Amino acid sequence: MKKLDNYGYMFIVPFFIVFITFTIYPILLTFYYSFTNYNGMGDPEFIGLANYSRLLTDSYFYSAFYNTMYIWGINFFFQLSIALLLAILFSDIRLKMRGLNFFRAVFYLPNLITIASVALLFGILLGWHHGTINHLLMDLGIISSPINWLNDPTTARWSVGLIGAWMWFGHTFIILMAGISGISKDYFEAALIDGANRWQTLVKITLPLLKPIMLYVLITSLIGGLQIFDLPMLITDGTGAPQGSLNTMVLYLYNQAFRYDNYGYAAAVAYGLFIITVIFSVITFKSMYRSNVKEG
Amino acid sequence: MKKNNIVKGILYAVLVLLVIISFIPFYMMIVNATRTNSEILQQGFTLIPGTALMQNYDTLIQYMNLWRGFANSLFVAVSVTLLSSYFSALTAFGFAVYKFKGKNFLFILMLVLMMVPGQLGLIGFFDLVRVMGLLDTYIPLIIPPIAAPFVVFFLRQYLMTVMHPSLLEAARIDGAGEIKIFHKIGLPIMMPAVATMAIFTFIGSWNNYILPLVVLFSPEKYTLPVMMGALRGSQVAENLGSMYLGIAISVVPIMVAFLFLSKYIISSISAGAVKE
Amino acid sequence: MKKALSLSFVSLLALGVVAGCNNDESSANEEGSSGSGSGEKLTVWSFTDELEEPIQVFEERHGVEIDLTIIPIEDYPTRLRPVLQNGTGAPDVFTGELAFIKDWVEQDYWEDLSQEPYNVEDLEGDYVDYVFDMGRNSEGAVKALSWQTTPGGIFYRRSIAEEVLGTDDPAEIGERFSTMDGLFEVGEELKAAGYRLFPDEGAVRWFAQGDNPQPWVDENDELIVTEERLNHFDFAKELRDKDLTAFAPEWSPAWFAAMDGPINYNAGWDEVDEGASNEVEVFSYALPTWGLHSVLKTNVEETDGDWAVTNGPSPYFWGGTWLGIYSGSDNKDLAWEFVKMMTHEEEFLTDWALDTGDVLSYLPVTEKIKDEFQDEFLAGQNNYTFFLDEAQSIDADTVTRYDQQIDTLFGNAVSDYVEGVRTKEEAVDEFYNLVKNAYPHITVPNE
């Protein structure tokens, strides 16, 4: 048996060779570059903590963080509330809504489309004087003059956030439905027999039991949201305009590295992003743990 | 009962409205793909398709061969899915079945790094690929996903719950080698979980934008997302009709594929979330 | 299942290996074929499709195949640099745009053309001065040549000029356009008649600099922002406030469509009474020489022959394509043949100029054709003498390697102000901060 166990190494060796080469080494290399002044040509020049002290006082990095959270916040709020309402609706045993498979599929569809295509599509649909969405809204009489959606910080952030929600609510809906179908039907039937109304069923049974899966949605959405790049990159041609309101953290990293050739500083930005991600993950895990303890 | 029906009617109306919201951007896209630039600019919104489809197609294809991007993306995504599935299964099997020194350490290391956002190593990755002379090839897109910690984690958890050591013992007594056992027993047992993860891997690779953007240079090697991005700065952008058509070409085949696979994909997502 | 999987896996690996080999093979091929006569292949990278026709000519002449790769200009420097540094998959010939040529001539990407066997120094007198100088680096070596010169003007619609201004004569229109005030006056007259002076506000950026063009960054790494630069904010705002443009941003589909006829203006229902219809027509575009053949001619059907070109309030120049040989190319002889044809072969360049209307920088040809030149698209106007005169006032010292990025940042700042989301002071301040952020070594005025 002992001998056989050495086969374990053989099974995991390919993974770790690739993992060390293409994941761990680049992370360490990036860490090294974050202490250097490096423009992609020649040798990196070691400059100690200069990049990090710049990062701490860099208002663009903070605004990139703010933008990222703003966009994610809108995205997550609408994504989760629509998905939750849908999930509650379809799980109501008194209503017996039909067509779950159909609706699930249609709502999920936007999630499957390449984000680059979605960005391009909304980039031109949301055009100002010649955008189809403005044309439609004006035809319907909802607005009287065209709105320059992508040229005002507020409407631009809301646009990107809502596009995100549009892309993801179907996905979240599926996950919540999966969570609900994991709840035994007995709970609902017992509640029905006990004469609990809809609201009581929702608050006492559905929501508490959905809590773990909602936290799962929260964490995955947050980690993904902190890395939002494709949409703002393609909608603003990488500039993060208007007024840098769509300049997200990864777009900032990309521009510093690949547009302005400040690889050293971009590496520090990457680590800044990493630290923020760690902090958020820890907070989320902690709060999840604490609330579990309270209930238990 | 009657009141219930009215409520249901309203609810269905709301659902249909949501369906329209989900679908109308695509419908605008398809309609506009068949109209000329000046029709879109002058006549605004309409539900009726135009007649300029072929004309738009000619303009588009003259500058950008999107089908090529499709083929490239498909090649990359299929390769990534196969490699990632196979090697993740191999690694998960190694972690689940054998007790070797340092196993726990390696497994925890993997889990910790699973939490690291993908962009952390981007700068170093780019530099590494450049030094290796692999820029503008598919290798940096296809090989690194062999090490997919999340897939390994998921498969290992799955394997722990479904596999009985007695099965392996029986095979060993029959004289099968460890690799053969993996192929004959481990892989088939893991297949449902592998398929679930394969869908995520495929979608992830298909949608990947930043990595091919940074790594690929020659337009004929562009994957679809990068090609879509390049469309914006190209001459195609002069003509809205062709632009919409370009987007439609990148979207419609996916929709058609989804029509056939939706049930499977949705159940995979459900499984992926609940097994957590 | 297992068999199928492992089979597909094996074939996949094989594919990967083949793909890998393919790369090696093709580069090995290029190496191997250097010097051999026929079946040669040349790769050319550029950011425009201008070279497509010359490449066809070259292919027919030499019986070789040229592979042209076109990369959109936003990505061009980013994509090219790593390839040029590494050499894998690098082209034999590649072009450089005005915006980044200053940077590139200082690198080792391009072959030194001042050396044997190219000896381009002998040709110095044959080119418009600034064009030749632009290809020269700080050590005096010439790295790239260009066939064109790119002074700018204002292209306008003759029929609209006739209707509103009473004349379509370029000299008279040019007289009215010769000051900013004159330009705005004409704009008001056009607006009263239901036309718009320019497609968008960006058009005035060239004239805002006036008679005092300065580089963005000087030799001490200091950002230079002149009064004239800042005037751009006010001119752009004035254009917007007075409603003199058609809201068709540069390079957008609406911008192109407006060349060929009315476009939907859609100012909104509140303002709809100002004109019976929602449609406006654009009077003029500020474009340089290449704007004629690669922008206007390719996008216009209805208004063909209805155009003329004249001067704006001040001379300017915009863009230009330089051509050089990759220093690591294995096929330099053939590459040089191509550069030669494109930049100083009389027969080819004469045909090219007569065919496209492109204004050349190669004097032996321009001297020969300029007096006779006329373009049907411009109703027979001689754009050649006009642009060659304008070329006299080009000062190439204003070009820096930062231009592409700083121009973008500046354009965003102006648009913030025009949209009314920032005051001029705030927008300028933000512009300084962004420049500092992108290039920490540059000193900016608000530090």
Side-chain angles (χ1 to χ4, degrees), chain B residues 72-104:
Chain B
N72 292 343
S73 271
L74 204 61
F75 172 73
V76 172
V78 168
S79 313
V80 165
T81 307
L82 290 177
L83 285 178
S84 160
S85 299
Y86 179 81
F87 282 103
S88 299
L90 197 70
T91 314
F93 190 80
F95 274 124
V97 170
Y98 305 97
K99 296 188 198 73
F100 48 89
K101 226 175 153 186
K103 171 174 136 169
N104 286 336

Side-chain angles (χ1 to χ4, degrees), chain C residues 273-284:
Chain C
D273 45 284
E274 69 150 70
S277 83
N278 233 359
E279 293 186 345
V280 287
E281 245 178 304
V282 171
F283 175 62
S284 63

Side-chain angles (χ1 to χ4, degrees), chain A residues 49-50 56 88 93 184 192 213 226 231 246 256:
Chain A
L49 287 167
L56 284 175
I88 292 165
I93 54 171
S184 165
L192 196 63
I213 204 140
L226 285 171
L231 275 176
L246 296 183
Q256 283 294 345

Side-chain angles (χ1 to χ4, degrees), chain B residues 78-218:
Chain B
V78 168
S79 313
V80 165
T81 307
L82 290 177
L83 285 178
S84 160
S85 299
Y86 179 81
F87 282 103
S88 299
L90 197 70
T91 314
F93 190 80
F95 274 124
V97 170
Y98 305 97
K99 296 188 198 73
F100 48 89
K101 226 175 153 186
K103 171 174 136 169
N104 286 336
F105 169 75
L106 290 175
F107 193 69
I108 286 165
L109 176 75
M110 193 186 81
L111 287 188
V112 167
L113 287 167
M114 193 170 91
M115 298 293 168
V116 171
Q119 269 75 23
L120 179 61
L122 186 67
I123 311 284
F125 182 77
F126 176 76
D127 219 49
L128 172 73
V129 170
R130 187 167 65 85
V131 171
M132 289 170 107
L134 294 177
L135 282 178
D136 210 25
T137 69
Y138 291 138
I139 293 172
L141 302 179
I142 292 176
I143 298 302
I146 284 178
F150 181 75
V151 183
V152 171
F153 173 70
F154 184 86
L155 295 181
R156 181 214 176 240
Q157 300 305 92
Y158 184 83
L159 212 50
M160 301 289 269
T161 56
V162 296
M163 198 174 59
H164 292 281
S166 55
L167 262 172
L168 303 179
E169 282 311 314
R172 281 189 190 118
I173 288 161
D174 288 349
E178 296 302 306
I179 292 291
K180 200 172 177 195
I181 290 178
F182 166 70
H183 285 130
K184 278 257 185 236
I185 299 171
L187 204 52
I189 283 183
M190 275 187 276
M191 230 30 206
V194 168
T196 298
M197 284 295 116
I199 284 181
F200 291 119
T201 310
F202 186 90
I203 294 175
S205 167
W206 181 264
N207 285 334
N208 194 355
Y209 176 62
I210 195 166
L211 219 52
L213 176 71
V214 166
V215 164
L216 299 176
F217 302 118
S218 318

Side-chain angles (χ1 to χ4, degrees), chain C residues 111-146:
Chain C
E111 183 83 349
D112 181 355
L113 299 179
S114 300
Q115 308 282 324
E116 296 278 349
Y118 316 107
N119 298 321
V120 294
E121 297 291 350
D122 301 345
L123 300 170
E124 182 166 6
D126 288 342
Y127 284 93
V128 172
D129 291 342
Y130 92 90
V131 175
F132 196 79
D133 289 341
M134 197 69 86
R136 198 191 281 286
N137 71 8
S138 50
E139 282 152 22
V142 174
K143 297 285 191 78
L145 295 171
S146 175

